[in-house]
Amino acid sequence: MANHFKRTLIPGGGPLAKVSGSLAFLLVIVLFAAGVLVRGVLGAALLGILLVGVLALLAATWKLLPPAGRVLRIVVVLVLVAVMISVLPG
């Protein structure tokens, strides 16, 4: 019964269509936390992997997003870049 609230963000059968939202969220949290905790070049690399994924999803969904959604996602990208830079050594 709770599944009737769940809808597909982008209809289709792409490679991410079968990935559970919970798994994707967990992966993002793990990559972000590891990048921030490890710090240094390795931490920045982990955050860079996350950034590439975010940019790929942004590019794939750009046409479907309303202007406010685009602005919000660009802000997320900029914050992620700032965090990535901040974990680099001095």
Side-chain angles (χ1 to χ4, degrees), residues 20-78:
S20 103
S22 301
L23 179 63
F25 180 74
L26 182 64
L27 179 63
V28 167
I29 293 298
V30 167
L31 274 175
F32 185 80
V36 170
L37 293 174
V38 170
R39 304 191 68 80
V41 176
L42 180 58
L46 291 171
L47 292 170
I49 291 169
L50 183 58
L51 179 63
V52 168
V54 168
L55 289 173
L57 287 173
L58 182 60
T61 59
W62 186 260
K63 291 181 182 179
L64 301 172
L65 293 172
R70 292 176 181 177
V71 170
L72 179 63
R73 281 155 180 88
I74 289 172
V75 169
V76 168
V77 166
L78 293 174

